[in-house]
Amino acid sequence: MQSNYTSMGVTFIGCGAAAPATVVLNDALAQVVDTSDEWISSRTGIRQRHISNDRESLAGFATQAARQALEMGGVNPTDIDAIILATSSSEDLFGTACQIQAQLGATKAVAFDLTAACSGFVFGVVTAAQFLRTGVYRNILVIGADLLSRWVDWHDRNTCVLFGDGAGAILMQANQNTDRLLGFEIKSDGTQNACLNLAFKPELSELLPGIILTQGKYQYITMNGKEVYRFAINRVPEAIGKVIHQAHLTSQDIDWLILHQANQRIMDAVAERLQIAPEKVVSNVAKYGNTSAASIPIALNEAVRAGKIQAGDTIAISGFGAGLSWGAAIFQWGN
């Protein structure tokens, strides 16, 4: 760690993604629950999702995505100062980020989990930026990874059709000469917490006479879809609008809009409200479904590697979900 604090800029120099090989089509889900491809795709835009198996792990997918980001950025694992893992589906309640650190061989890096559900990647980017701007760290990996297939009730068609598994990563670097992070906004509203939950279900047991323990397991994901939709189409454009103003830009200055890939109808409504052209909206929800904290970096990675996003392009991102929480950021890609 550097002993003196200096004002630095932030750049975005690498990205990567990984997802399970197993793909479940909408028609296949119709064999499990009362649904159809038409019902799912017309309401969400989702056509398929990637599902992990019993031999795959959250840390494994996150490490794959991180390695790709490091390779693109030309940075060695031993030069990483911090790893921030945004996830709501850790395989260890004490955290998974340290497993990623070990698998990468990032021996200098401090590693920790950040839990903010589908807003987690945006929260992670904003958190990383604070370390970089103060000059404390130079290279930070921000990873969004979730395996929510493990926490879905596959007989509840209102939720099981939505979620998929995957991981995405971005490499952020301090830069003395330029600052590519143009603005951000992160928010929470706990009064709406009940709209989307993966809650603990207590089971009472008596340890000793008069001493009752609360133990148990986590329940499946529950969601009030109408309320979450209403929340998203109001809060997300508002947050992005504030960040656009903060960056002294207009919506016409945005080259690419990458929203949390929850629902195509939400993405369309947000873009329309912001008057951002549909061709500027990056969407892969049809292929991956809702991968929670992984959805923005997976979509970003695909667009970069397809040659859509070029160095210097201005990108607006926004995550939203459980908490309820939401956030937005605007940055320019590259050094």
Side-chain angles (χ1 to χ4, degrees):
M1 186 178 74
Q2 298 178 16
S3 58
N4 57 329
Y5 295 92
T6 57
S7 179
M8 303 285 283
V10 177
T11 56
F12 300 79
I13 64 170
C15 58
T22 301
V23 171
V24 177
L25 301 174
N26 288 346
D27 284 333
L29 278 185
Q31 302 173 36
V32 178
V33 69
D34 180 19
T35 191
S36 68
D37 177 62
E38 191 281 330
W39 190 91
I40 299 168
S41 60
S42 65
R43 287 164 174 79
T44 68
I46 298 168
R47 296 282 185 178
Q48 63 178 45
R49 70 283 300 141
H50 294 250
I51 302 298
S52 59
N53 62 41
D54 60 335
R55 299 177 303 279
E56 295 171 320
S57 70
L58 184 79
F61 290 119
T63 300
Q64 289 179 50
R67 285 196 179 114
Q68 293 174 21
L70 290 173
E71 183 178 357
M72 181 182 289
V75 173
N76 293 320
T78 51
D79 291 325
I80 295 299
D81 299 298
I83 299 168
I84 300 174
L85 173 66
T87 187
S88 299
S89 51
S90 178
E91 289 149 348
D92 185 338
L93 279 180
F94 292 157
T96 298
C98 288
Q99 295 178 36
I100 299 165
Q101 183 234 25
Q103 290 183 28
L104 283 174
T107 52
K108 284 172 46 184
V110 61
F112 60 91
D113 289 17
L114 182 156
T115 302
C118 302
S119 304
F121 181 75
V122 176
F123 281 37
V125 166
V126 172
T127 300
Q130 312 316 306
F131 289 117
L132 296 170
R133 281 181 165 169
T134 55
V136 175
Y137 295 141
R138 177 164 175 77
N139 296 302
I140 299 181
L141 277 168
V142 179
I143 306 167
D146 271 303
L147 304 183
L148 288 182
S149 66
R150 297 172 174 178
W151 298 104
V152 167
D153 179 354
W154 289 98
H155 298 288
D156 174 13
R157 75 169 186 171
N158 293 314
T159 57
C160 76
V161 302
L162 301 176
F163 296 100
D165 300 337
I170 193 168
L171 177 59
M172 298 171 61
Q173 188 173 74
N175 190 298
Q176 200 165 4
N177 302 313
T178 188
D179 192 358
R180 298 295 193 184
L181 180 60
L182 307 181
F184 64 83
E185 169 103 345
I186 52 177
K187 303 285 285 183
S188 301
D189 180 4
T191 65
Q192 292 187 277
N193 178 260
C195 293
L196 181 53
N197 294 113
L198 203 173
F200 179 74
K201 183 179 181 180
E203 296 176 359
L204 304 183
S205 62
E206 189 172 38
L207 176 64
L208 294 168
I211 300 177
I212 306 298
L213 297 179
T214 302
Q215 297 182 308
K217 301 177 181 179
Y218 285 89
Q219 301 182 78
Y220 293 126
I221 294 170
T222 60
M223 181 175 67
N224 183 327
K226 289 182 179 179
E227 287 301 317
V228 172
Y229 180 88
R230 187 178 295 116
F231 145 76
I233 63 172
N234 286 301
R235 294 298 194 181
V236 172
E238 178 184 86
I240 295 173
K242 285 182 179 179
V243 177
I244 288 174
H245 178 74
Q246 187 184 124
H248 305 293
L249 301 174
T250 71
S251 59
Q252 304 310 305
D253 296 316
I254 302 302
D255 294 309
W256 302 101
L257 176 64
I258 308 180
L259 301 175
H260 165 48
Q261 308 286 299
N263 184 307
Q264 188 63 49
R265 290 164 60 195
I266 291 176
M267 290 189 277
D268 292 343
V270 170
E272 182 178 0
R273 189 165 297 188
L274 291 168
Q275 298 183 315
I276 293 176
E279 58 268 22
K280 293 184 175 183
V281 180
V282 177
S283 173
N284 63 5
V285 69
K287 294 192 295 181
Y288 292 93
N290 180 344
T291 55
S292 193
S295 74
I296 293 174
I298 289 176
L300 171 69
N301 179 71
E302 282 199 338
V304 169
R305 293 182 185 273
K308 287 184 175 182
I309 294 177
Q310 299 286 324
D313 282 359
T314 300
I315 305 165
I317 63 173
S318 182
F320 51 91
L324 292 176
S325 62
W326 66 102
I330 293 179
F331 62 91
Q332 293 172 318
W333 182 248
N335 282 314

